[in-house]
Amino acid sequence: MYNRNLVTGLRVPRPMSKYPEILHRRTVARSRLFRVEAVGLRFSNGAEVEYERLGGTSHGAVLIVAVDGQGRAQLIREYAAGTGRYELGLPKGRVEKDEPLLDAANRELQEEVGVAARRLEWLRSLSLAPGYLAHRTEVILAQDLYPSRLPGDEPEPIQVVPWALDDLEGLLAQEDFSEARSLAALYLARDHLRAREAR
Amino acid sequence: MYNRNLVTGLRVPRPMSKYPEILHRRTVARSRLFRVEAVGLRFSNGAEVEYERLGGTSHGAVLIVAVDGQGRAQLIREYAAGTGRYELGLPKGRVEKDEPLLDAANRELQEEVGVAARRLEWLRSLSLAPGYLAHRTEVILAQDLYPSRLPGDEPEPIQVVPWALDDLEGLLAQEDFSEARSLAALYLARDHLRAREAR
């Protein structure tokens, strides 16, 4: 069992085990959006396993915490086909080929919220379910907002819900707020802004 | 645009739009673990769209924040086939048919960490990517830990890394910690325990 040295803040040692050897990779199912890949692995102890993973077909995704002058993040409520209900969460979208991350974030903001940002910064890259999804989402903090709208591809108007970053507890009481990625990004942005204020 | 009434704490009104009508659902791809479903929807404004979603084949999943007597959550480091690297995160696993959530959490803890908990409580249900995943993960807080091991199905031994809940900032500095779900659950557990202490 490893123990982090809390006094010196030393990093936890990386595992000594080598990366597993990839024995084979093959596509076992494919649809318009998804590609399922079977990967055969041999671990350094000799154990062999076959996993299934979902390959991404896109160039990544951005999730945007757009904070207005009153310290409120711009949430949206829209229909989510995966869970089959309206969900409250942060605006997000796919990054287009060769599109810089911050440009993608500012474009999605204008499409989904109707604002653009003069100040954009990358906060963190998040995985969703690293055991079977290759997908990663880049969390972008957007500030200095001003009205600006671009046409989106949503089937119906998106509801915008500004929510105070200081009231994440109240947000957790909303039963249509469930997304781990949005929650993690809101905590990250809140702590980031508090730390900046404290300096 | 909706504004939450911050003074009275009134809930944001639910969208007035009715749920979209489901025109069709059909399986368009299937593998050992995954099933991709195409869903045709007609929104209340008449717009028709077809989405793809990934159906879950399991009975749900648990993610466990197991906090020891020194306020440290038990993290694990294991190979993740989705991202193709070793990932640091919380222990988790699938719930078996007819298995109570807290039993599933205590079983996974014994398989992956080698401890059991005398005190288990459900904190929250999280979605991962509600736009295309039906999947939900139940966050369980586990306390009053004691050594107890059950055999797991992992191909190699899992590394256990206790991490102080008071040092999530240090955790964010670890480049192999990326999972949105683990990060959200750690923030939730930390705030939950702090609020309990404050009472």
Side-chain angles (χ1 to χ4, degrees):
Chain A
M1 193 178 278
Y2 274 83
N3 277 284
R4 184 158 178 272
N5 184 326
L6 292 171
V7 178
T8 64
L10 284 179
R11 291 196 161 205
V12 173
R14 302 302 309 277
M16 294 309 292
S17 55
K18 289 191 307 189
Y19 267 54
E21 180 189 353
I22 296 173
L23 302 177
H24 62 261
R25 301 169 62 148
R26 61 174 195 277
T27 298
V28 291
R30 185 192 287 274
S31 70
R32 185 167 54 89
L33 287 183
F34 298 105
R35 186 172 61 82
V36 183
E37 191 177 55
V39 185
L41 298 173
R42 183 187 295 128
F43 284 82
S44 57
N45 61 1
E48 293 187 11
V49 188
E50 186 174 80
Y51 289 110
E52 284 189 1
R53 66 198 290 270
L54 219 64
T57 53
S58 74
H59 306 281
V62 285
L63 185 73
I64 309 116
V65 190
V67 182
D68 66 18
Q70 291 133 81
R72 300 177 305 181
Q74 311 302 299
L75 304 183
I76 60 173
R77 182 181 279 119
E78 66 177 340
Y79 184 77
T83 53
R85 57 174 217 169
Y86 284 87
E87 295 270 356
L88 189 60
L90 291 170
K92 59 182 170 290
R94 294 182 185 191
V95 178
E96 289 171 6
K97 187 169 183 296
D98 299 327
E99 188 181 32
L101 285 182
L102 300 185
D103 291 359
N106 220 11
R107 175 181 52 71
E108 290 289 345
L109 260 189
Q110 291 171 81
E111 290 175 6
E112 300 195 344
V113 179
V115 299
R118 289 193 190 86
R119 182 174 178 184
L120 293 145
E121 70 189 286
W122 176 88
L123 283 188
R124 193 174 186 80
S125 180
L126 295 175
S127 62
L128 289 185
Y132 59 89
L133 292 181
H135 183 92
R136 292 184 80 96
T137 300
E138 309 302 321
V139 180
I140 311 292
L141 177 63
Q143 292 176 281
D144 288 352
L145 311 180
Y146 59 93
S148 175
R149 185 166 290 281
L150 287 173
D153 57 356
E154 283 72 25
E156 62 180 0
I158 291 178
Q159 229 189 348
V160 177
V161 183
W163 201 282
L165 276 181
D166 279 338
D167 182 32
L168 295 187
E169 196 166 345
L171 181 58
L172 289 168
Q174 306 296 317
E175 60 94 27
D176 58 354
F177 179 80
S178 73
E179 196 188 15
R181 184 165 52 162
S182 287
L183 182 55
L186 287 165
Y187 277 122
L188 281 169
R190 184 194 68 180
D191 284 10
H192 179 82
L193 291 171
R194 281 185 182 170
R196 189 194 284 165
E197 274 171 24
R199 276 201 301 271
Chain B
M1 194 179 277
Y2 274 83
N3 277 285
R4 184 160 180 270
N5 184 325
L6 292 171
V7 178
T8 64
L10 283 178
R11 289 195 166 206
V12 173
R14 301 303 308 278
M16 295 308 292
S17 55
K18 289 191 307 188
Y19 267 55
E21 179 189 352
I22 295 173
L23 302 176
H24 62 261
R25 301 169 62 148
R26 63 173 193 279
T27 298
V28 291
R30 184 193 287 274
S31 69
R32 186 166 55 89
L33 287 183
F34 299 105
R35 186 172 60 83
V36 182
E37 191 178 53
V39 185
L41 298 172
R42 183 185 294 127
F43 284 81
S44 58
N45 61 1
E48 293 187 10
V49 188
E50 186 173 79
Y51 289 110
E52 285 190 1
R53 67 199 289 272
L54 217 66
T57 53
S58 73
H59 307 280
V62 285
L63 185 72
I64 308 116
V65 190
V67 182
D68 65 19
Q70 292 133 81
R72 301 177 305 181
Q74 311 303 298
L75 304 183
I76 60 172
R77 181 180 281 120
E78 65 177 341
Y79 185 77
T83 53
R85 57 175 217 167
Y86 284 86
E87 296 269 356
L88 189 60
L90 290 168
K92 59 183 169 292
R94 293 181 186 191
V95 179
E96 288 170 8
K97 188 169 183 293
D98 299 328
E99 186 181 34
L101 285 182
L102 300 186
D103 290 359
N106 219 12
R107 175 180 53 71
E108 290 289 346
L109 259 191
Q110 292 171 82
E111 290 175 5
E112 299 194 344
V113 180
V115 299
R118 290 193 187 85
R119 181 174 178 184
L120 293 146
E121 70 189 287
W122 176 88
L123 283 189
R124 191 170 188 83
S125 181
L126 296 174
S127 62
L128 289 186
Y132 59 89
L133 291 181
H135 183 92
R136 293 183 81 95
T137 300
E138 310 301 322
V139 180
I140 310 293
L141 178 64
Q143 292 176 279
D144 288 352
L145 311 180
Y146 60 93
S148 175
R149 184 165 290 281
L150 287 173
D153 57 357
E154 284 71 25
E156 62 180 0
I158 292 178
Q159 229 188 348
V160 177
V161 182
W163 202 281
L165 275 182
D166 278 338
D167 182 31
L168 294 188
E169 197 168 344
L171 181 58
L172 288 167
Q174 305 297 316
E175 60 93 27
D176 59 353
F177 179 79
S178 72
E179 196 189 15
R181 182 165 55 162
S182 286
L183 181 56
L186 286 165
Y187 277 123
L188 281 169
R190 184 195 68 180
D191 284 11
H192 179 83
L193 291 171
R194 281 185 182 169
R196 188 194 282 163
E197 274 171 24
R199 276 202 301 271

